[in-house]
Amino acid sequence: MRRHPHADVCDEPVPPLEAQAGVFGMLPHWTKDDGLAKRTYNARSETVAEKPSCRDAWRKAQHCIIPAASIYEPDWRSGKAVPTRIERADGVDLGIAGLWETWRNPAGELIYSYTMLTINADEQPLMRNYHRPADEKRMVVILPRRLYDPWLDATTNQSMDFMRQFPANRLTACAEAWQ
């Protein structure tokens, strides 16, 4: 979901938000093919302004919200990866802070792409349990519903203000088999 590009034009009524289908993983305008998307599902908030794949979208404040029922992370506490579904405890879908970009594929089609913003979770009571033991713990930026509009309207200078951990007591985790 993103702000409609003509939401501030008063000529014709347009919805304030639009759900725009696209590729999961950022495809900047300069990439030659869609293979980069496999490596750009997530963008580290601490370095997003400098990374070539995301810096233009960050600089232009091309904010979006990626809806998800849940996310999956590997729990390594047993010594092997146990797939774990993480969702909001209240059952409401997640609204993940993201960035969007457009790219023209070799056939000339306009393709939208998205990346999820992440933050350090080494000290977050729930999310610190995921990823390999020696790896830095990361989590996506989950926005409370009250921050959807402010995130979509934020300027580049305001963007980092939204890079916060979602409270652990408002999330639940459930181990399950990969399907």
Side-chain angles (χ1 to χ4, degrees):
M1 297 183 308
R2 67 184 189 139
R3 195 61 79 208
H4 190 284
H6 302 294
D8 60 351
V9 177
C10 298
D11 295 346
E12 295 180 32
V14 295
L17 295 176
E18 69 175 350
Q20 180 65 59
V23 172
F24 184 48
M26 189 67 88
L27 293 170
H29 66 89
W30 47 261
T31 194
K32 302 290 185 227
D33 60 53
D34 61 1
L36 182 63
K38 294 176 185 137
R39 297 185 310 275
T40 56
Y41 297 142
N42 297 330
R44 297 170 65 90
S45 60
E46 299 89 346
T47 60
V48 69
E50 292 88 39
K51 293 294 182 182
S53 59
C54 297
R55 66 181 168 213
D56 288 345
W58 181 264
R59 183 179 46 81
K60 295 175 188 174
Q62 292 179 176
H63 298 159
C64 66
I65 298 167
I66 300 165
S70 58
I71 58 170
Y72 286 81
E73 296 291 352
D75 183 340
W76 284 88
R77 290 177 289 177
S78 69
K80 58 183 175 180
V82 175
T84 305
R85 183 181 68 242
I86 299 164
E87 54 196 14
R88 285 184 50 157
D90 60 9
V92 173
D93 283 346
L94 303 173
I96 301 168
L99 297 173
W100 65 271
E101 186 61 271
T102 57
W103 169 68
R104 288 219 179 265
N105 69 12
E109 299 168 290
L110 186 65
I111 307 293
Y112 288 86
S113 65
Y114 305 91
T115 190
M116 300 183 295
L117 291 162
T118 68
I119 55 176
N120 179 280
D122 286 341
E123 301 302 321
Q124 207 268 9
L126 177 69
M127 299 304 293
R128 69 179 176 209
N129 296 315
Y130 302 98
H131 303 285
R132 292 182 186 272
D135 290 352
E136 176 190 15
K137 310 310 180 212
R138 304 288 302 171
M139 69 181 291
V140 294
V141 176
I142 301 167
L143 297 168
R145 177 67 186 100
R146 66 182 167 70
L147 293 182
Y148 283 15
D149 284 331
W151 167 248
L152 293 173
D153 296 331
T155 65
T156 303
N157 291 338
Q158 297 167 329
S159 296
M160 284 305 289
D161 295 342
F162 295 85
M163 302 299 110
R164 300 181 208 142
Q165 295 176 354
F166 198 76
N169 65 349
R170 294 180 56 202
L171 296 170
T172 90
C174 178
E176 60 182 53
W178 291 119
Q179 296 182 12

